[in-house]
Amino acid sequence: MRHFLIVLALVGSACGAGGSGSASDPSSGGAAPSAANERLELIAEAVDAWAKSESLEEARAFAETAANLVVGPGGLGYGDRDGNGVVAGDTEAGFLPGPNGQPAGVVLDTLGSAPCVERDVLGGSWEDPTNRWLILSQAIEEWAPRNNTFPSLPSHPMRVVGWATLTQSGTFEEAIEYSGHADLHVDISRNAMAEC
């Protein structure tokens, strides 16, 4: 539970300090480029705490934090995913664009569709964000232990949301296993953004 409170404090301070994309860069009209890296680090911290959880309740709370930080308000499953009365990972904008394209998301606000993020982080064009989130929703619905639909998702942060969503209905052992998958996708996103 201690990790959960730390992540909540980090998320709250990042939002207050512009970590959700509110700090402006005069040259781009968007958030400072470091905002995308800061958000990815918050997601990484949540995934790491998810992996180190000592109970299913903790694992679900940290998975909720990670997913909410990726999707943002109005995004796929945003909110109190684990039903404990707390919205972990509360933020003003997601890491990726909202389902209607607004807000544009921390990545697009800060880095645009730079080649360093296009392939692995954004996973292609977000001209039709509604369809992009529908693809994830369908992948989650169709997922089964013998039918892993997530490798077909073009965006690695979207895969984090997929594993976090499965954690909300899985066992403790599954939750820890799923955190390992999510961690892999965070690392791939980190490596892509390091090129920016």
Side-chain angles (χ1 to χ4, degrees):
M1 195 62 178
R2 178 173 44 90
H3 295 295
F4 177 65
L5 296 174
I6 291 169
V7 171
L8 282 179
L10 288 169
V11 170
S13 65
C15 291
S20 64
S22 61
S24 293
D25 175 348
S27 64
S28 68
S34 63
N37 291 312
E38 290 170 3
R39 175 61 65 85
L40 187 56
E41 287 311 305
L42 287 174
I43 295 166
E45 289 172 15
V47 170
D48 185 52
W50 169 9
K52 295 176 181 174
S53 296
E54 297 179 0
S55 69
L56 181 57
E57 292 73 21
E58 277 190 15
R60 288 178 173 170
F62 289 122
E64 175 183 308
T65 299
N68 282 346
L69 288 171
V70 174
V71 303
L76 183 66
Y78 181 84
D80 182 15
R81 295 167 181 266
D82 62 1
N84 70 353
V86 176
V87 177
D90 189 20
T91 184
E92 293 175 13
F95 186 64
L96 296 174
N100 299 312
Q102 292 299 325
V106 176
V107 172
L108 282 178
D109 274 351
T110 60
L111 301 172
S113 56
C116 58
V117 298
E118 178 79 21
R119 187 186 73 234
D120 292 327
V121 179
L122 292 172
S125 170
W126 279 81
E127 287 183 16
D128 186 357
T130 302
N131 186 57
R132 292 299 301 270
W133 289 115
L134 180 60
I135 290 168
L136 174 59
S137 180
Q138 290 173 337
I140 292 168
E141 273 184 39
E142 295 170 5
W143 188 93
R146 294 186 180 184
N147 181 37
N148 183 1
T149 53
F150 297 161
S152 66
L153 296 170
S155 164
H156 286 274
M158 288 178 86
R159 297 184 201 190
V160 171
V161 176
W163 292 114
T165 302
L166 294 181
T167 294
Q168 300 307 324
S169 59
T171 66
F172 178 64
E173 291 74 18
E174 289 169 337
I176 300 305
E177 176 189 339
Y178 298 160
S179 72
H181 293 290
D183 187 54
L184 172 69
H185 300 303
V186 168
D187 285 345
I188 292 170
S189 300
R190 263 191 183 135
N191 291 339
M193 288 176 57
E195 298 173 15
C196 295

